[in-house]
Every structure is written in C-alpha cells, then in structure tokens.
Amino acid sequence: MLLTLGLVSCEKDEIKSESVITADSYKQNAFDKWLEANFINPYNIDFKYRYEEIESDLNYYTVPAQMENSIIMAHLVKYLCVETYNEVAGINFTRQNFPKMFYLIGTWEFRNNGSYILGTAEAGKKILLSGINYLGDVMNGSYDPTMSLADGLNHYYIKTIHHEFTHILNQTQDFPTSFREVTPASYVSDSQFSEPFINVYLSRGFITAYAQTNYNEDFAEMVSEYVTHTPEWWESQMKAAETMYEDDREQTQTGRALIEQKLDIMRAYMHDTWGIDIDVLRDCILRRQANITDGLINLTDLTVE
C-alpha cells in the first residue's frame, strides 16, 4: 500500500499543465489538400481545424473541433464570406484585408455573466470561431428549434464572421469618431445581458443587446446585423425602436433615430473607406444564403480541381 501511494504521488508530481493534444505532426488528408487549394493558395489564409493550445484562449475550457463539422464550416466561410467580398469588393480586397488565419474550437467560450463568446478577432490577422461541434445540430434544427436554418447559421456563425471581419477593417482604418458620439453615455460594458438592458436595447438606440457593450462592438453589430438580414427584418427592428427609453433622462431621440444616425455613419465609412455598398453586400449575402438553405451548394465536397 505504501509503495502504491508513493507511485501515485510521483505521478501527480509529474503532471503537466500543457495540453496533451497537439497538431505538430500529421499526414496531409483530403481536407488539408482542399484547404490548400481553396484558402492557402488563392488567399494565403491558414484554416486551422486541428487543436493547437497556443492558438486557444487559456482563460476558457476549450475542446477540438470535429472533422465533419470543420469541413462544413470551411465551405460556409468560403462561400458566404470570402467569396462574398470577392464579388462585391474584388479579390484583391479580400487578399489584402481578410484575416490570414481561421482557428476552430469545438465548444463556446463561456463567460461568468451567463453569455458565451461566438468568435474573436485578434490583431487584424486571426478569427477564432467557437462552437463548431454544435454546427450539425444547428443545421438540422435540433440545437435551437425556434430558428430556421438561415437564422441559426447567421446567429451562431456567419454573422460572427462578418462581425469579426468588421473589427479587422476597423483595426486597419478606424471608423469616424462621430459614431461613438451618437450614444456616448449609454454603453453598459458587461451589463448588456442583465435587466433592464437585455430587453430595452432597441429603444436605447442599439441594434442588439451586445451592441451596448462599447462603441467598437456597437459598430461591428451594426454592420453584421444589417448585411445578414432582410430589409423586412431591419424595418421590423426599426418599428420596435420607435420609442425612447424612459429611464434615461439624457436621451432626447427615439431608438430608431439613434440607430439610423449610426447606420448613416456606418454606410458612409464602408463606402468611402473600403468602396463597399452595404446594400449590395447584403443582397449578395442573402442570395448566397438562399443557395445554402435550398441545398444548392455541396458543403462536404473535397474535390480539388
């Protein structure tokens, strides 16, 4: 018994904090060859689906992304995001500005305030996408039965990519300071998902509850929500924003008026700085999104031409 205890003690002393999962060496498979042909060669984008601890945020518990879902996500990123900007702004814009790395992890990054992180952008070069292991459930409707396929993909993944890409554009060329002056005293940091803010964001002049975090998140939410939703959806949100938040004595305009001021600034920034008409971008995304939901795009094909 003493010998056994001694061995257990020695084993515990040798436990390391590093992950035992590594992508240091592997044999290239069909997916790797497809990624090389569709991301690395044309855009110099490294699409990482194998788990690498150094690319993960060690403040959260993270797990590897499943292979089959990673393949589908790669197709979605290519068709709904990368090629969308090719069509609207030209391939040179995409090559110059799109992040040079995508990194996938299996689960969401859960925070202490009850929210979880869908994705992050780092230094204008990398986008992390989380929750990849839920992608199959989102697509078959079992993860959130209240959402259609298009709404589910947008809510959990596609809108996140456009949101994070907006951060990258802003990190390259910042948006006008006039944007942050529309609702300067209304940002609530980490209280955005607490009462009352989680329910009154529209009347306060924000397109989502998360937009209330700070002006950087507000701007990225404005872009990503606008270009991934129909004009009818946007107008429904504006109708709901046609009131003022009564508990904010400094607010003198309706939520709709405030959001539309932000929209005008965002529209001008995207056009004047990047040459992108956000209405043309929206039409392109919605058309491609319909092709996905109608089953016209093969999301698992790994043929390399």
Side-chain angles (χ1 to χ4, degrees):
M1 183 179 297
L2 290 174
L3 177 61
T4 301
L5 289 173
L7 290 173
V8 170
S9 176
C10 290
E11 289 175 356
K12 287 184 177 179
D13 288 340
E14 295 174 0
I15 291 176
K16 297 181 179 180
S17 62
E18 292 83 3
S19 171
V20 297
I21 304 171
T22 179
D24 290 341
S25 61
Y26 60 88
K27 183 178 180 179
Q28 191 177 54
N29 57 37
F31 185 29
D32 296 317
K33 295 176 182 178
W34 186 90
L35 290 173
E36 184 175 54
N38 289 276
F39 281 90
I40 296 175
N41 291 343
Y43 307 106
N44 195 29
I45 294 175
D46 190 5
F47 196 95
K48 292 190 175 186
Y49 66 96
R50 291 182 173 88
Y51 190 86
E52 295 186 32
E53 184 180 53
I54 193 172
E55 301 294 351
S56 306
D57 188 337
L58 300 183
N59 292 309
Y60 300 93
Y61 292 106
T62 56
V63 301
Q66 296 170 350
M67 168 78 82
E68 57 271 26
N69 286 347
S70 297
I71 293 172
I72 295 173
M73 180 54 63
H75 278 277
L76 291 172
V77 171
K78 174 179 178 286
Y79 187 73
L80 291 177
C81 301
V82 174
E83 292 179 349
T84 293
Y85 287 99
N86 285 354
E87 182 176 332
V88 173
I91 193 170
N92 287 334
F93 168 88
T94 308
R95 286 171 172 165
Q96 292 172 11
N97 297 290
F98 226 74
K100 296 310 177 186
M101 181 193 298
F102 280 88
Y103 177 60
L104 310 185
I105 58 174
T107 191
W108 316 117
E109 292 183 334
F110 291 94
R111 306 177 69 186
N112 292 331
N113 65 354
S115 65
Y116 50 88
I117 296 173
L118 300 174
T120 59
E122 297 181 17
K125 298 298 182 183
K126 168 186 172 183
I127 288 181
L128 177 146
L129 291 175
S130 63
I132 300 303
N133 294 350
Y134 305 111
L135 177 59
D137 292 333
V138 169
M139 295 191 70
N140 66 31
S142 62
Y143 188 80
D144 191 340
T146 66
M147 289 188 174
S148 66
L149 172 56
D151 289 341
L153 286 177
N154 270 327
H155 179 76
Y156 293 108
Y157 304 105
I158 305 307
K159 186 185 84 71
T160 299
I161 298 171
H162 291 288
H163 175 109
E164 298 304 332
F165 183 48
T166 301
H167 281 316
I168 288 174
L169 293 179
N170 298 161
Q171 290 164 7
T172 304
Q173 181 67 47
D174 201 5
F175 53 85
T177 57
S178 56
F179 183 90
R180 64 194 71 178
E181 295 169 358
V182 177
T183 52
S186 298
Y187 296 105
V188 295
S189 189
D190 288 338
S191 298
Q192 72 277 65
F193 296 116
S194 303
E195 294 289 351
F197 306 114
I198 193 171
N199 293 314
V200 298
Y201 55 88
L202 287 170
S203 63
R204 299 185 73 242
F206 298 93
I207 195 60
T208 66
Y210 185 63
Q212 300 169 110
T213 307
N214 56 55
Y215 53 78
N216 288 317
E217 301 303 335
D218 191 6
F219 192 92
E221 284 291 272
M222 286 289 296
V223 175
S224 58
E225 290 286 337
Y226 189 86
V227 301
T228 58
H229 286 93
T230 65
E232 293 76 19
W233 178 89
W234 185 268
E235 179 58 25
S236 72
Q237 300 306 293
M238 294 303 96
K239 287 287 187 183
E242 289 179 346
T243 57
M244 287 193 293
Y245 180 51
E246 296 179 354
D247 290 346
D248 188 345
R249 296 181 180 180
E250 295 183 358
Q251 187 172 332
T252 59
Q253 302 180 69
T254 65
R256 177 170 191 152
L258 295 171
I259 293 173
E260 289 181 342
Q261 288 179 50
K262 295 176 181 179
L263 178 61
D264 289 342
I265 297 169
M266 180 267 283
R267 185 190 301 278
Y269 164 83
M270 292 297 288
H271 180 272
D272 297 345
T273 305
W274 301 109
I276 294 175
D277 184 324
I278 60 170
D279 292 299
V280 174
L281 178 60
R282 175 173 65 181
D283 290 344
C284 180
I285 291 172
L286 294 180
R287 170 170 43 82
R288 287 172 171 266
Q289 179 179 284
N291 290 340
I292 294 290
T293 57
D294 290 343
L296 301 179
I297 305 300
N298 188 334
L299 299 176
T300 59
D301 180 31
L302 296 179
T303 302
V304 176
E305 297 180 357

